[in-house]
Amino acid sequence: MKRTVIWIAALVVGAILGLLGIVWLDEVMNFVATVYTRLFQLLAVPTIVLAVITTFATFGSNGSGKIFGHTLTYTLLTTFAAAAVGAALYVIVAPGLLPLEALSGATVPEASASGTASYADHLLSVIPNNIVRPFLEGNVLSLLLLAFAVGIGLSKLPESENKAVVVKGLLGLQDLLFLLIRWLIWTLPLGIVAFSAQLSAQVSAGVVADSIGKYVLVVLGGNVIQFFVVLPLFLLAKGLNPVHVLGKMMPAVLMALFTKSSAATLPVTMETAEKRLGIKKNVARFVLPICTTINMNGCAAFILVTSLFVMQQDGTELSLGTILLWLLISVVSAVGNAGVPMGCFFLTLSLMSGIGAPVAVLGIILPIYTIIDMVETAENVWSDSCVSAMVDRDFQ
């Protein structure tokens, strides 16, 4: 709560500073915003790569067999469904453009003209021919491809000392990265002031409120539809009563809403699933820890909707192909989101930094993210509960 108040205060202070119209102050805010943008870009590549590799690398150690196969199948189906609902709502609601003339100092180099390359050329550009180049260029698609391949490869290697050393080394690097991220998050109020000042220097507050309002409507509306419509349909397809399942799992869902942490809620989720819902212990204790790591319905929808919103501000044409491509990216990224502080928000910021999108927009979204995060976490735990219930039904 304290952090939320600080973020909102920073947003207000930045807006006031931008409206003052003081030239030297605007230059200072542009400088600070550029510094934060560069720091975000610095952490973008390792955040994406390490999160995906370490998550997929644990697949082998988490066990195998039919239960894991069913868990992974339901996880991917529900996560794809959540992202698809978000995409459909985005097209229907169509959030408007923010006036971003003031963000020129915070954006990264312009993308090449669209339409000059075929889809085959675009596909070839994703497939790396040099292991270093994707890291240097920040090519998000190539990095995800490499991270996915390395992570799955590690999971398939037989257990050995060499494998353990590699995995421990990657986890150690991730711990170091998390420390740097926590430091950056601690200083974020200064970045919010700068980003907010940039926007308010040349924009109308009414335009910003309208566009951001529609964006929030899409994100929260997608979560509500996934929570009350899509996931219950999955349960009904398995012959389960969604009202009964939700009623029994309500303690875990409510705890997730207020703690904003699926991991912190996990003990309550397991206890509730076993004692109240009656899921077999061997299923609950195997499925739920895996789901807490990879079953991120709310995160996938947030990554997709926010990425589309940010890219749209930079003039990217949101064609069907673009939406479908980012739907796939959002699902893979959400599955690979291995507990980064502020989870989905920072992962989305990393993706946007990697493609040169105007990340200053995320500075305006940040104060609102606290509410979104509460709803997303509750949805994630509800989805975990649904997956465990469906797997339990499969093995009755």
Side-chain angles (χ1 to χ4, degrees):
M1 183 63 183
K2 181 180 178 181
R3 175 180 289 179
T4 303
V5 172
I6 293 174
W7 285 344
I8 294 175
L11 185 66
V12 173
V13 170
I16 294 173
L17 292 178
L19 291 173
L20 293 177
I22 302 174
V23 176
W24 68 265
L25 187 58
D26 290 343
E27 292 177 352
V28 171
M29 292 296 101
N30 287 338
F31 176 81
V32 174
T34 302
V35 169
Y36 271 85
T37 301
R38 292 177 69 88
L39 290 175
F40 291 148
Q41 290 176 282
L42 172 68
L43 297 176
V45 169
T47 297
I48 297 168
V49 173
L50 287 175
V52 174
I53 289 179
T54 54
T55 298
F56 279 94
T58 61
F59 278 5
S61 60
N62 276 339
S64 57
K66 292 184 178 180
I67 293 181
F68 179 74
H70 285 232
T71 303
L72 184 59
T73 299
Y74 293 140
T75 290
L76 292 176
L77 286 175
T78 56
T79 305
F80 266 107
V85 168
L89 274 183
Y90 194 92
V91 172
I92 295 170
V93 176
L97 292 175
L98 292 169
L100 293 178
E101 295 86 352
L103 296 181
S104 57
T107 54
V108 284
E110 297 179 2
S112 58
S114 60
T116 58
S118 66
Y119 282 106
D121 292 333
H122 182 65
L123 181 61
L124 287 175
S125 70
V126 174
I127 302 174
N129 62 351
N130 184 315
I131 196 169
V132 178
R133 184 174 297 169
F135 291 88
L136 296 178
E137 297 177 351
N139 189 321
V140 176
L141 297 180
S142 295
L143 289 172
L144 285 175
L145 184 63
L146 281 172
F148 182 85
V150 172
I152 294 297
L154 282 173
S155 74
K156 297 301 181 183
L157 282 177
E159 297 299 325
S160 66
E161 183 179 350
N162 290 339
K163 176 182 176 179
V165 168
V166 173
V167 173
K168 285 183 179 180
L170 291 171
L171 291 173
L173 288 174
Q174 192 175 47
D175 288 341
L176 176 59
L177 176 65
F178 288 176
L179 177 62
L180 296 177
I181 291 172
R182 285 193 292 270
W183 288 352
L184 182 58
I185 291 172
W186 187 80
T187 67
L188 263 183
L190 179 60
I192 294 174
V193 170
F195 289 141
S196 179
Q198 277 190 323
L199 285 176
S200 65
Q202 296 183 11
V203 307
S204 162
V207 175
V208 174
D210 179 70
S211 183
I212 292 293
K214 288 184 177 179
Y215 158 80
V216 174
L217 175 63
V218 172
V219 174
L220 295 183
N223 283 320
V224 169
I225 292 174
Q226 179 75 4
F227 194 105
F228 290 106
V229 178
V230 177
L231 290 173
L233 287 176
F234 273 98
L235 292 175
L236 288 171
K238 284 293 178 182
L240 295 165
N241 184 339
V243 176
H244 171 76
V245 177
L246 179 59
K248 296 297 184 182
M249 295 303 301
M250 190 58 71
V253 173
L254 289 177
M255 182 174 178
L257 181 69
F258 294 110
T259 63
K260 297 181 291 184
S261 172
S262 298
T265 310
L266 180 59
V268 175
T269 308
M270 295 175 65
E271 178 77 9
T272 305
E274 293 176 17
K275 298 295 177 61
R276 288 173 58 91
L277 189 57
I279 293 178
K280 293 187 289 292
K281 287 185 177 181
N282 66 315
V283 173
R285 297 181 184 185
F286 181 84
V287 173
L288 288 172
I290 294 176
C291 284
T292 298
T293 304
I294 67 174
N295 189 34
M296 300 289 182
N297 285 195
C299 187
F302 176 83
I303 291 174
L304 176 62
V305 172
T306 306
S307 296
L308 295 178
F309 183 67
V310 174
M311 289 189 296
Q312 179 182 336
Q313 310 309 315
D314 205 29
T316 301
E317 181 184 353
L318 300 183
S319 63
L320 178 61
T322 300
I323 293 174
L324 291 177
L325 175 63
W326 277 91
L327 190 150
L328 178 62
I329 292 174
S330 67
V331 170
V332 175
S333 300
V335 170
N337 180 25
V340 178
M342 288 178 60
C344 305
F345 182 89
F346 199 88
L347 189 55
T348 306
L349 192 150
S350 299
L351 289 168
M352 293 297 94
S353 296
I355 64 171
V359 295
V361 178
L362 285 156
I364 303 301
I365 295 171
L366 182 57
I368 311 167
Y369 181 69
T370 299
I371 305 267
I372 296 173
D373 195 22
M374 293 175 65
V375 178
E376 284 180 351
T377 307
E379 180 189 324
N380 287 338
V381 170
W382 170 226
S383 179
D384 295 347
S385 305
C386 292
V387 170
S388 62
M390 289 189 290
V391 173
D392 185 65
R393 172 56 62 93
D394 288 343
F395 290 93
Q396 282 184 353

